[in-house]
């Protein structure tokens, strides 16, 4: 428990530093760039207290590290020299005089708490290990993570290419993986965290608790900060409503007949 408390303190310090940078830059997009890095900070702060890892543990640790690095690189490249994201701009307007305080509490501290919950499969494995060898369950979880990684990476690449084409300005992507899911990148992210939780399951003495992580990220993406916020922008447009009616929200499925 002390290890987790120390790691949580390091994470809180990192989120506070992100907040300070955001206030200096007058752009809360810093939170998006720092989101993936926050997982690396938390996991590193836990792993350094633990010491040497087994091969199985090292594999599980590598999965979110790869995910976090790719996410931070993509978001940073996408947001470089860009205006503040529309979500943060709207909050800036709505919060008025309480903007600074609410930014610290809602955007940074709350996000830090969410990072802590999502990363539980990995941190619990490090704090309460079983020293089990690399086995079929861990490998199966890693394979599930790999499938999710492909979905997210390919979905993001297809979206980036679509947005970069000026001919598509104001249009909705409905091709590639996006023909089968309205959010294939979110599907990939959920799949990765379920894979991480499964991979860590035989390596921790309290495996069930670790599944809080994928439950939290799946719930948030489906009902809170992912799908609802993005789809609100397109609501009411005939082309969007038609696409929405025929296309699965998350899990890729064959499109419904018109």
């Amino acid at each position: 428990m002390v290890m987790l408390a120390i790691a949580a303190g390091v994470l809180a310090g990192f989120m506070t530093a992100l907040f300070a940078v955001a206030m200096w830059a007058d752009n809360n997009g810093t939170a998006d760039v720092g989101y993936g890095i926050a997982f690396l900070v938390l996991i590193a702060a836990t792993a350094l207290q633990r010491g040497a890892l087994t091969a199985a543990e090292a594999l599980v640790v590598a999965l979110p590290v790869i995910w976090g690095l790719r996410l931070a690189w993509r978001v940073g490249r996408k947001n470089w020299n860009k205006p503040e994201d529309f979500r943060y701009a709207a909050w800036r307007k709505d919060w008025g005089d309480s903007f600074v305080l609410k930014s610290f509490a809602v955007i940074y501290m709350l996000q830090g708490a969410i990072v802590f919950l999502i990363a539980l499969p990995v941190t619990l494995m490090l704090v309460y290990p079983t020293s089990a060898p690399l086995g079929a369950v861990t490998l199966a979880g890693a394979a599930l993570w790999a499938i999710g990684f492909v979905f997210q990476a390919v979905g993001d690449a297809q979206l980036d290419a679509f947005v970069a084409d000026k001919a598509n300005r104001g249009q909705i992507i409905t091709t590639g993986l996006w023909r089968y899911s309205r959010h294939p990148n979110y599907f990939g992210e959920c799949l990765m965290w379920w894979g991480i939780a499964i991979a860590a399951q035989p390596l921790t003495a309290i495996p069930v608790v670790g599944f809080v992580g994928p439950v939290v990220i799946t719930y948030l993406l489906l009902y809170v900060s992912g799908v609802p916020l993005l789809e609100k922008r397109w609501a009411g447009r005939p082309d969007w409503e038609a696409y929405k009616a025929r296309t699965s929200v998350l899990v890729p499925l064959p499109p419904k007949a018109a």
Side-chain angles (χ1 to χ4, degrees):
M1 187 62 71
V2 174
M3 287 173 62
L4 281 177
I6 292 173
V10 172
L11 175 62
F14 174 73
M15 300 308 293
T16 301
L18 280 181
F19 165 75
V21 172
M23 294 302 101
W24 172 77
D26 201 28
N27 189 332
N28 270 325
T30 304
D32 292 339
V33 178
Y35 176 69
I37 300 174
F39 285 89
L40 310 187
V41 170
L42 176 62
I43 292 170
T46 311
L48 289 173
Q49 297 178 77
R50 214 335 264 289
L53 305 180
T54 66
E57 290 168 342
L59 172 61
V60 174
V61 165
L63 303 181
V65 167
I66 294 170
W67 167 81
L69 288 173
R70 192 199 78 86
L71 180 64
W73 174 82
R74 177 179 183 269
V75 175
R77 180 172 57 89
K78 180 181 176 183
N79 291 356
W80 185 256
N81 283 335
K82 297 289 180 63
E84 189 173 50
D85 184 88
F86 74 95
R87 298 165 298 169
Y88 299 133
W91 286 345
R92 182 183 292 271
K93 181 179 179 181
D94 292 343
W95 291 344
D97 293 340
S98 60
F99 169 74
V100 173
L101 181 60
K102 286 188 175 180
S103 290
F104 179 72
V106 176
I107 299 177
Y108 293 91
M109 289 299 103
L110 179 59
Q111 181 162 270
I114 290 169
V115 167
F116 185 84
L117 290 176
I118 295 172
L120 278 175
V122 183
T123 55
L124 291 178
M125 176 196 73
L126 295 171
V127 176
Y128 303 104
T130 61
S131 298
L134 181 60
V137 173
T138 298
L139 291 174
L144 188 64
W145 176 92
I147 295 171
F149 185 85
V150 169
F151 264 95
Q152 186 173 64
V154 172
D156 283 343
Q158 291 174 344
L159 177 61
D160 291 345
F162 181 86
V163 172
D165 188 342
K166 293 181 179 179
N168 296 325
R169 185 166 297 173
Q171 302 301 308
I172 298 165
I173 181 172
T174 60
T175 55
L177 293 179
W178 301 82
R179 181 172 184 266
Y180 306 99
S181 168
R182 303 202 300 271
H183 303 278
N185 48 354
Y186 286 166
F187 170 72
E189 186 162 342
C190 293
L191 208 61
M192 280 189 279
W193 281 104
W194 282 101
I196 290 168
I198 291 170
Q201 186 269 330
L203 306 176
T204 178
I206 47 175
V208 176
V209 180
F211 282 96
V212 168
V215 169
V216 167
I217 188 63
T218 302
Y219 178 81
L220 289 175
L221 289 177
L222 266 178
Y223 301 111
V224 182
S225 61
V227 171
L229 285 179
L230 289 178
E231 297 200 344
K232 185 178 180 180
R233 299 182 70 187
W234 304 102
R237 278 183 42 165
D239 55 346
W240 166 257
E241 297 300 333
Y243 172 63
K244 182 178 178 181
R246 69 176 182 268
T247 310
S248 169
V249 61
L250 192 69
V251 179
L253 295 171
K256 297 176 183 177

